[in-house]
Amino acid sequence: RVDLDAMHVRHTTSLVEIASDFVLAGRTQSTQRFRQSVMNAFLGFMGHDAAVDELDRQALEEFFQDRPREGRKAQTAYRYLKTVEQLWGWAYGKPDVYRGVPQPIRVSGEGDKVALPDTTPGRAPTWAECDRMIAQLTGIRRKRVRRTAILQRYTGARVSQVLHLTVGDIDLAQDAIRFRASAKGAKGHATRGLPLHPALRARITSWEDVPWSDRGALLVPSLRSGKARGDMARPFERAWKLAGVPEECWGRGHGEVIEDRAKGRATHAFRAAVKAHLERRGSKVDPWVVDLILDHKGDGTASAYRARARPGQGDTWLRMVDAIASIPAIGSEEDNVVSIAR
């Protein structure tokens, strides 16, 4: 990351230099890569000799209209626009470094031309659809993806959290699984434990290549590097398609757009299925228990109980055990068709 506080005052007006600093100020490598892609497109549109005072409403609107917007590209065009708006606000907040930055304006969401397209998934996938998707992940090359999907299906955890699970995070004595606070800007509020579903326990213990004597070994390491690397979105997307699951269940929704991440993508669908299942149980599962399992902030109640959710201890853990155990095993007959707004 670039340390702007340690920089000499440059008073630059070059849009290229400001864009370069904005890229380097990204907290994670994925954020920097996405910002670089956006800046390449924006500078190509504005011209590499453009000055920062050329930022105005017309520039934003024309940049957005210049982006391809067929199908899913509409979502990408909107995210590019939002990132340029973020650049503008970021530079404006540093008058000691950047000179001549106009007061920022936002055009995203204004009217049909710059409004985010409504592609919100209409429902969570059913358990049968989830299981059909997992069934597509066969063969040695897809083993890691399959295991990730299985872990998500029984826990509702985020992909980033699943990929960082180690052997030491599986407590077979307490029937618990530990998800550690995500690093490098990924989501995840705190290290937390979840009850281990009986069917998931049986599957994990059947994985013969897991080095149980090495507590630091990853549960689903990369086949090449042995590290927690690799993009799951594309293989997940292919599997959902091959399984014949409607795109409304796993495609990108408009939701909250955060740089290069958007809710509703293919890797988020299992979380939606778990959430829909637990909410269907109504009074049998309190809303704060759902938030606790999915690591959501909710109304704050889950945060108050998070410290009490210790394996094998207290009423909070027992409620979580009952909720997790209610998730049907892979291949069961139970189904859930639930309209949602993720």
Side-chain angles (χ1 to χ4, degrees):
R1 293 180 59 189
V2 62
D3 185 0
L4 292 174
D5 294 332
M7 291 176 60
H8 295 294
V9 177
R10 292 186 296 157
H11 291 300
T12 181
T13 62
S14 167
L15 193 57
V16 170
E17 291 186 30
I18 295 174
S20 178
D21 291 345
F22 176 67
V23 170
L24 293 175
R27 292 186 177 182
T28 67
Q29 290 185 350
S30 62
T31 296
Q32 290 181 10
R33 287 195 296 268
F34 179 74
R35 287 184 176 183
Q36 186 65 66
S37 177
V38 176
M39 294 303 105
N40 288 343
F42 187 58
L43 293 173
F45 172 78
M46 294 290 292
H48 287 266
D49 58 347
V52 71
D53 59 5
E54 295 180 46
L55 289 173
D56 56 20
R57 175 182 292 273
Q58 182 178 355
L60 293 182
E61 292 179 346
E62 291 184 355
F63 173 67
F64 177 76
Q65 294 298 323
D66 190 60
R67 306 303 305 160
R69 292 190 307 282
E70 300 83 14
R72 290 191 184 181
K73 293 180 180 179
Q75 180 76 27
T76 301
Y78 189 82
R79 289 160 55 206
Y80 271 44
L81 171 63
K82 295 280 287 185
T83 303
V84 172
E85 291 177 338
Q86 184 184 4
L87 160 74
W88 190 348
W90 178 86
Y92 183 78
K94 295 174 173 56
D96 57 330
V97 180
Y98 308 122
R99 178 166 54 88
V101 181
Q103 184 169 351
I105 61 173
R106 288 186 176 274
V107 300
S108 56
E110 294 184 358
D112 294 336
K113 291 184 178 181
V114 291
L116 182 61
D118 184 10
T119 57
T120 307
R123 64 174 176 85
T126 67
W127 290 125
E129 289 170 336
C130 289
D131 296 349
R132 292 206 310 271
M133 181 275 200
I134 292 174
Q136 302 302 316
L137 301 171
T138 58
I140 187 65
R141 296 187 64 182
R142 295 180 180 175
K143 180 173 66 175
R144 179 172 180 260
V145 182
R146 177 183 175 85
R147 288 184 180 180
T148 301
I150 290 172
L151 285 160
Q152 273 200 297
R153 185 198 181 282
Y154 283 114
T155 64
R158 298 179 177 91
V159 163
S160 61
Q161 294 170 330
V162 169
L163 292 179
H164 285 87
L165 281 173
T166 66
V167 169
D169 292 325
I170 308 300
D171 188 343
L172 297 177
Q174 295 281 355
D175 282 331
I177 183 169
R178 179 181 64 178
F179 291 100
R180 288 165 289 145
S182 299
K184 298 183 180 179
K187 282 192 172 182
H189 299 102
T191 297
R192 74 194 197 284
L194 281 186
L196 189 59
H197 193 289
L200 179 58
R201 177 194 169 103
R203 284 182 176 269
I204 290 177
T205 54
S206 71
W207 295 342
E208 296 180 354
D209 59 340
V210 174
W212 291 105
S213 60
D214 184 359
R215 293 180 56 82
L218 291 168
L219 205 60
V220 283
S222 168
L223 294 177
R224 291 185 178 181
S225 67
K227 299 180 181 179
R229 306 179 65 178
D231 181 17
M232 289 288 169
R234 291 183 179 179
F236 267 49
E237 182 175 316
R238 286 195 294 268
W240 288 117
K241 288 181 177 178
L242 288 171
V245 180
E247 190 170 345
E248 64 169 339
C249 301
W250 52 266
R252 288 186 183 272
H254 62 69
E256 180 185 5
V257 178
I258 308 174
E259 303 259 349
D260 58 332
R261 300 186 298 276
K263 290 184 179 179
R265 60 183 181 182
T267 56
H268 196 79
F270 285 111
R271 282 174 60 77
V274 172
K275 182 175 185 288
H277 167 79
L278 295 178
E279 290 180 342
R280 283 180 68 229
R281 292 176 59 79
S283 60
K284 294 182 180 179
V285 181
D286 290 326
W288 63 265
V289 175
V290 179
D291 290 335
L292 196 57
I293 289 173
L294 295 175
D295 196 25
H296 284 163
K297 290 182 179 179
D299 63 0
T301 306
S303 298
Y305 282 93
R306 188 167 281 117
R308 307 181 194 179
R310 298 177 180 176
Q313 299 181 24
D315 180 66
T316 299
W317 184 258
L318 291 177
R319 289 176 181 236
M320 294 171 67
V321 168
D322 289 341
I324 290 293
S326 72
I327 296 174
I330 292 176
S332 68
E333 297 299 322
E334 183 175 345
D335 226 337
N336 61 330
V337 180
V338 182
S339 296
I340 60 169
R342 289 207 295 272

